[in-house]
Amino acid sequence: MDSQKTTHFGFRDVPLADKQKLVGQVFTSVARNYDLMNDLMSFGVHRLWKRHFVAVSGVRRGDRVLDLAGGTGDIAALLKPVVGEEGEVVVGDINAAMLGVGRDRLTDRGLVAGLRWAQMNAEMLPFPDNSFDAVTIAFGLRNVTDKDKALADMHRILKPGGRALVLEFSKVQSPLLSKLYDVHSFKILPRLGKLFAGDADSYQYLAESIRKHPDQDTLKGMMLNAGFGHVEVRNLTSGIVAIHRAYKL
């Protein structure tokens, strides 16, 4: 029974039924400072990763795209000019606070037409089969409780020939960089969280969640098992992050 099953929340084992609530508390806490902290954590490089992610996505004018874990709207803002007036970007996130921040930011920038915002669980997407040309998820899959279920549902809602694109922290390929990255993640990041956001614990969890996320080859296998016919993997910054692009045949 689910009440007896456990899963990881960072480095802690917690009841399966509790993880969604715990992750929700983290992102409700960090929502207002999320963009600032991303800049501090990555020295601004996350913006380049996201731009490259959209540039290699294969998304075209007129496409209908679902951006899962859309958070503060960074990916949606990059996708909207690509799909143009004929296309549509649906921003989905399980956390209402993150959705609110993103919607307000993009509205202030005048990005309203062709954007839809909806609260949803990535494991149970409220869309019919074969309804999107692409599904994107950036820095969100590692927080999903049942990743296999989410990947299978992403496959379900894609049209034949559609693409699922995952941008996520992954396994660093350089041993030296890996050691420096550990120091940054577990020594510096929580202190930055406490100093700038008043919340060290949430950023400790975020660092731990990165280490618990499947590495490049494991995630590729999970996407193949979810039904995708082909998966491409591209490392960025020596594998600190990786892009997985999968196709529904």
Side-chain angles (χ1 to χ4, degrees), residues 56-58 163-165 230-234 243-247:
V56 302
S57 67
R163 298 166 304 286
L165 299 124
H230 180 60
V231 183
E232 301 169 351
V233 182
R234 180 179 301 200
I243 297 172
H244 285 69
R245 181 168 62 179
Y247 297 83

Side-chain angles (χ1 to χ4, degrees), residues 9-241:
F9 175 72
F11 290 161
R12 293 163 46 199
D13 285 333
V14 299
L16 189 68
D18 289 353
K19 180 170 180 176
Q20 183 176 310
K21 179 181 70 176
L22 292 168
V23 171
Q25 290 171 349
V26 167
F27 282 92
T28 297
S29 174
V30 304
R32 289 292 167 187
N33 295 292
Y34 192 68
D35 290 318
L36 169 64
M37 288 304 299
N38 278 342
D39 284 331
L40 292 171
M41 286 189 296
S42 70
F43 306 104
V45 177
H46 75 101
R47 299 180 185 274
L48 300 178
W49 291 334
K50 289 171 181 174
R51 288 186 179 278
H52 185 72
F53 177 60
V54 172
V56 302
S57 67
V59 172
R60 297 176 296 237
R61 193 170 190 85
D63 278 355
R64 188 177 189 225
V65 183
L66 172 63
D67 180 37
L68 283 172
T72 51
D74 286 353
I75 300 299
L78 295 170
L79 285 168
K80 186 62 190 71
V82 178
V83 302
E85 294 181 0
E86 303 93 336
E88 180 183 48
V89 178
V90 179
V91 184
D93 201 301
I94 198 169
N95 188 277
M98 294 291 286
L99 275 175
V101 169
R103 185 171 54 245
D104 291 347
R105 285 181 64 230
L106 268 57
T107 299
D108 288 345
R109 292 172 55 182
L111 295 174
V112 178
L115 283 175
R116 290 174 51 202
W117 302 81
Q119 190 172 3
M120 66 186 69
N121 187 335
E123 299 172 21
M124 297 176 289
L125 298 173
F127 304 104
D129 298 356
N130 307 317
S131 53
F132 286 90
D133 298 289
V135 179
T136 59
I137 182 167
F139 304 118
L141 185 61
R142 74 181 188 279
N143 298 303
V144 175
T145 301
D146 191 333
K147 298 174 181 62
D148 291 313
K149 191 173 181 180
L151 291 169
D153 222 29
M154 291 164 66
H155 181 272
R156 177 186 65 79
I157 67 166
L158 281 169
K159 300 174 183 177
R163 298 166 304 286
L165 299 124
V166 179
L167 173 64
E168 189 55 89
F169 291 103
S170 202
K171 185 177 180 180
V172 180
Q173 304 297 295
S174 163
L176 176 60
L177 182 58
S178 180
K179 292 179 181 179
L180 294 173
Y181 187 47
D182 282 344
V183 172
H184 176 70
S185 298
F186 295 108
K187 300 297 184 182
I188 298 174
L189 178 54
R191 293 177 183 176
L192 288 174
K194 184 176 181 179
L195 179 63
F196 289 96
D199 186 352
D201 291 344
S202 290
Y203 288 92
Q204 179 74 26
Y205 158 73
L206 292 173
E208 293 175 0
S209 71
I210 291 169
R211 299 312 189 277
K212 297 295 289 186
H213 185 67
D215 64 17
Q216 290 91 326
D217 288 341
T218 303
L219 181 55
K220 178 178 179 178
M222 291 169 66
M223 297 183 86
L224 290 169
N225 288 338
F228 291 99
H230 180 60
V231 183
E232 301 169 351
V233 182
R234 180 179 301 200
N235 287 320
L236 304 180
T237 318
S238 192
I240 289 179
V241 300

